[in-house]
Amino acid sequence: MKPTALSRYLIEAQHQGHINADLRLLLEVVARACKTISTAVGKGALGDVLGDAGTGNVQGEAQKKLDVLSNEILLEANEWGGHLAGLASEEMEHAHAIPSSYPRGNYLLLFDPLDGSSNIDVNVSVGTIFSVLRCPDGVTEPRDEHFLQPGSAQVCAGYTVYGPSTILVLTFGRGTHMFTLDREQGSFILTRSDVQVPEDTREFAINMSNQRFWHPPVQNYIRDLLAGKTGPRGKDFNMRWIASMVSEVHRILTRGGIFMYPADSKDPGKPGRLRLMYEANPMGFILEQAGGACSTGRGRMLEVQPEGLHQRVPVFLGSRNEVAEAERYHHEHDRA
Ligand code: AFP
């Protein structure tokens, strides 16, 4: 069977009525931008892209040179194509409406241009995460509030992981599929379709250094994972932590697992570290379409009504029976 390139895959999806021409063009453009980012990431020190940019973002975090460069690449690539009404990024405080000098479309694009950027200088996999929503009817100059739609309203979501190989993972509500970048040909090739996440797992991922700040449900849940065979779970669990959500999710899509970033008392004002609109929601859509689950610990992530473009949420995602188990510890605690 001749390998299927992403462009052919999307054209066939359009012919089958699963996506329209605008969404196909949008995905082609995002994929092309990710190829450019992949080249920049791959150059590393040779491309003078390592290190800090000397600027900070709306989250108050120091920006890496590649954060800024990736943001510019995605902005530039998507501004003039005519399939978007607006964009929003982790690196920009407010939504960015498409300039009136360019044709506008009906979609809104949200993205984390380079997730895991604290890993860039140590050559660990990083990635781009994106989410696509419809622009509300009648809105020509979308503002922040027009992006505040629940994750269940997403028409498409994906991420590209820049690791030993560059892989684009995509869903538009008909399963989750993986495309590996063929560097010689310069095109993404379908390498796994209809990915299914194992329902159960023996592998968990959480930043253990935050343990003393966790709330009781998470303390109890992790205590029982660590007790393994000697405890109520009756089986041993292994642990992983890459500090790059894209890489954690890719591992889970590949072999199962649970990834968590709970809210904690370290910074009570922050309900977790990860952002709802361009981290938790797109990953939730991708996981659910692969038979997995994504939760706040107390409910389905994709049903959360957003209140802010950069709002943070507690995240529990992965093998669905294990995510349900983590939720059970929260519900039990709340009932007590
Ligand atoms: P950066 O993009 O600032 O490196 O943050 C990465 C991230 O948002 C997510 O990808 C990781 O899972 C998580 O933060 C890592 O958090 P810790 O720094 O607490 O390990």
Side-chain angles (χ1 to χ4, degrees):
M1 170 78 174
K2 192 169 173 313
T4 305
L6 175 69
S7 45
R8 174 175 172 170
Y9 183 89
L10 295 174
I11 288 167
E12 286 172 358
Q14 184 185 340
H15 291 162
Q16 290 152 8
H18 299 153
I19 57 175
N20 61 28
D22 252 1
L23 187 53
R24 176 173 66 80
L25 286 170
L26 171 56
L27 291 172
E28 298 255 15
V29 169
V30 171
R32 210 167 28 248
C34 289
K35 271 195 282 186
T36 309
I37 296 171
S38 174
T39 305
V41 168
K43 281 217 179 90
L46 299 172
D48 185 29
V49 292
L50 301 184
D52 289 350
T55 49
N57 66 17
V58 62
Q59 338 269 344
E61 294 159 343
Q63 290 178 306
K64 294 283 183 182
K65 286 182 186 169
L66 270 169
D67 282 322
V68 176
L69 179 62
S70 306
N71 194 56
E72 284 162 4
I73 290 170
L74 283 156
L75 264 185
E76 201 286 319
N78 283 288
E79 246 187 352
W80 50 270
H83 35 264
L84 284 177
L87 310 105
S89 163
E90 180 194 32
E91 303 302 335
M92 303 185 311
E93 181 160 7
H94 294 293
H96 176 87
I98 298 295
S100 54
S101 52
Y102 293 134
R104 290 187 178 137
N106 305 319
Y107 291 112
L108 303 174
L109 177 70
L110 300 106
F111 52 87
D112 177 353
L114 208 71
D115 176 62
S117 51
S118 61
N119 275 327
I120 292 168
D121 298 350
V122 294
N123 204 21
V124 169
S125 302
V126 292
T128 297
I129 310 173
F130 63 92
S131 168
V132 181
L133 297 164
R134 283 188 184 80
C135 184
D137 294 341
V139 174
T140 52
E141 296 262 343
R143 297 182 302 281
D144 293 8
E145 67 263 27
H146 299 115
F147 288 75
L148 303 185
Q149 304 172 33
S152 54
Q154 292 175 97
V155 290
C156 173
Y159 67 78
T160 303
V161 56
Y162 311 111
S165 57
T166 290
I167 302 176
L168 166 67
V169 177
L170 196 57
T171 185
F172 38 80
R174 300 186 69 85
T176 291
H177 316 285
M178 297 185 177
F179 302 81
T180 302
L181 178 60
D182 179 326
R183 296 191 194 285
E184 277 83 47
Q185 288 187 30
S187 50
F188 283 102
I189 306 294
L190 180 66
T191 41
R192 275 190 74 191
S193 52
D194 294 317
V195 174
Q196 284 302 309
V197 176
E199 294 175 347
D200 296 295
T201 183
R202 289 169 176 258
E203 201 163 57
F204 71 96
I206 194 166
N207 184 338
M208 289 295 290
S209 68
N210 295 326
Q211 183 167 28
R212 68 185 186 283
F213 302 110
W214 294 335
H215 301 306
V218 176
Q219 294 284 8
N220 301 338
Y221 173 66
I222 300 293
R223 175 201 60 214
D224 292 349
L225 290 182
L226 294 175
K229 259 202 229 91
T230 66
R233 299 301 307 276
K235 62 179 181 177
D236 289 343
F237 287 80
N238 195 3
M239 196 203 110
R240 289 284 181 270
W241 187 250
I242 306 172
S244 172
M245 183 188 195
V246 170
S247 306
E248 314 272 8
V249 169
H250 199 69
R251 181 189 64 246
I252 288 171
L253 281 177
T254 307
R255 68 181 191 211
I258 183 168
F259 164 78
M260 297 159 271
Y261 214 114
D264 60 33
S265 59
K266 187 160 49 174
D267 186 344
K270 269 193 198 165
R273 175 187 170 95
L274 304 173
R275 279 49 64 117
L276 174 65
M277 299 306 291
Y278 41 79
E279 290 180 315
N281 274 343
M283 293 306 200
F285 191 17
I286 290 164
L287 260 291
E288 286 195 0
Q289 285 292 314
C294 184
S295 167
T296 62
R298 291 186 166 84
R300 186 178 175 229
M301 186 67 72
L302 300 191
E303 286 163 19
V304 173
Q305 178 50 49
E307 289 150 11
L309 209 47
H310 302 287
Q311 94 181 64
R312 299 170 189 264
V313 282
V315 175
F316 298 78
L317 62 77
S319 297
R320 71 164 174 257
N321 293 344
E322 195 54 39
V323 172
E325 192 62 14
E327 284 187 337
R328 189 176 64 73
Y329 278 75
H330 285 79
H331 297 323
E332 239 172 51
H333 172 268
D334 298 346
R335 274 196 301 274

